[in-house]
Amino acid sequence: MPALPPPADKPQLSAPKKDTPTFSPDKVSVIFVLGGPGAGKGTQCDRLVRDYGFTHLSAGDLLREEQDREGSQFGSLIKDYIKEGTIVPMEITVQLLENAMNDDLTHKHGNGRFLIDGFPRKMDQALKFEESVCPSKFTLFFDCPEDVMQERLLNRGKTSGRADDNAESIKKRFKTFVETSMPVVEYFEKEGKVVRIPATRAPDEVYEEVKAKMGERGFEMEK
């Protein structure tokens, strides 16, 4: 696959084969955050950033930024995938995440704690990231029924301006999540690397459980 043309101050976007991950799990903590569209991942990530000092990386946001970046070779391709509710080629997403992590550690003096929101969405993404970028500590999975998520997204669509916050795209995103992302949750669950959080409650109630589970996994609040 050809490389994405980088911004002037970024390394070239490519996906070379590596024998070891770029980042050591002894120095970098990666938590994947999964849940269907509208499960409340972003809200909970904001609170974890505030209280635990994580850097929040949204795979979806990185892709949306890349699709709008002037001169991006794959901008229109990414836009088409997002509109259809399907998954962008793995190499693009994984490399965008690696670049963002490296930028945070190198230029922003981050503490090495990363929440990766909405990723991995497929098994190949999960395996590729853990082999080439960094093994994750665990996955936070926000479990929420489809009818609740749909109501939340339709309400959000009234003000978000996002092209995929409409009924047709929402149905496609639900289908994609169930078919491709739930196997990822099940895979990590078998490895004892999933924290499942019921997400139908109010955000404050959900976050109380998140904090308790974080403590059980050895993460303490910074404040």
Side-chain angles (χ1 to χ4, degrees):
M1 186 189 82
L4 283 170
D9 60 343
K10 300 286 185 183
Q12 180 161 331
L13 188 56
S14 58
K17 183 174 178 56
K18 292 179 285 189
D19 295 326
T20 58
T22 300
F23 306 107
S24 166
D26 295 331
K27 297 181 179 179
V28 171
S29 296
V30 171
I31 297 176
F32 295 142
V33 182
L34 287 177
K41 301 182 295 295
T43 299
Q44 298 302 319
C45 284
D46 288 345
R47 297 179 182 208
L48 287 165
V49 168
R50 179 192 67 199
D51 294 338
Y52 292 82
F54 280 93
T55 294
H56 177 205
L57 298 178
S58 164
D61 286 349
L62 289 172
L63 288 166
R64 280 185 283 272
E65 289 169 10
E66 184 64 29
Q67 78 174 356
D68 294 331
R69 184 173 62 79
E70 186 176 352
S72 171
Q73 185 175 351
F74 289 98
S76 60
L77 174 68
I78 293 171
K79 191 171 295 185
D80 288 342
Y81 276 98
I82 290 176
K83 183 178 179 181
E84 290 300 315
T86 51
I87 293 172
V88 173
M90 168 188 67
E91 293 86 355
I92 296 175
T93 308
V94 170
Q95 194 64 46
L96 286 173
L97 286 166
E98 181 177 335
N99 284 0
M101 291 172 66
N102 189 59
D103 183 59
D104 186 74
L105 291 167
T106 304
H107 300 114
K108 300 177 183 176
H109 307 293
N111 63 5
R113 287 183 170 187
F114 294 96
L115 292 172
I116 302 187
D117 174 6
F119 181 92
R121 294 184 64 197
K122 287 179 67 179
M123 276 307 307
D124 61 351
Q125 290 183 348
L127 298 175
K128 178 71 173 176
F129 185 94
E130 296 221 328
E131 289 170 0
S132 66
V133 182
C134 186
S136 65
K137 298 296 185 188
F138 58 90
T139 296
L140 268 177
F141 173 53
F142 292 98
D143 197 0
C144 193
E146 182 173 327
D147 60 333
V148 175
M149 292 189 287
Q150 182 170 12
E151 182 180 359
R152 290 175 178 175
L153 288 174
L154 289 173
N155 285 332
R156 186 176 77 179
K158 296 173 184 176
T159 57
S160 70
R162 279 180 48 169
D164 56 351
D165 277 348
N166 61 76
E168 184 179 354
S169 288
I170 288 168
K171 288 179 182 178
K172 292 177 181 177
R173 290 160 67 196
F174 286 146
K175 185 173 185 290
T176 298
F177 178 78
V178 170
E179 293 177 352
T180 63
S181 297
M182 281 308 298
V184 175
V185 174
E186 291 160 4
Y187 170 79
F188 283 127
E189 206 154 33
K190 289 175 183 176
E191 295 193 339
K193 290 176 62 176
V194 169
V195 173
R196 188 181 287 257
I197 306 289
T200 55
R201 299 162 294 173
D204 288 347
E205 294 178 59
V206 173
Y207 190 53
E208 286 304 311
E209 183 165 353
V210 170
K211 288 190 294 183
K213 297 296 186 183
M214 293 293 289
E216 291 174 9
R217 295 275 176 156
F219 287 88
E220 300 298 330
M221 296 175 67
E222 290 194 336
K223 294 183 179 180

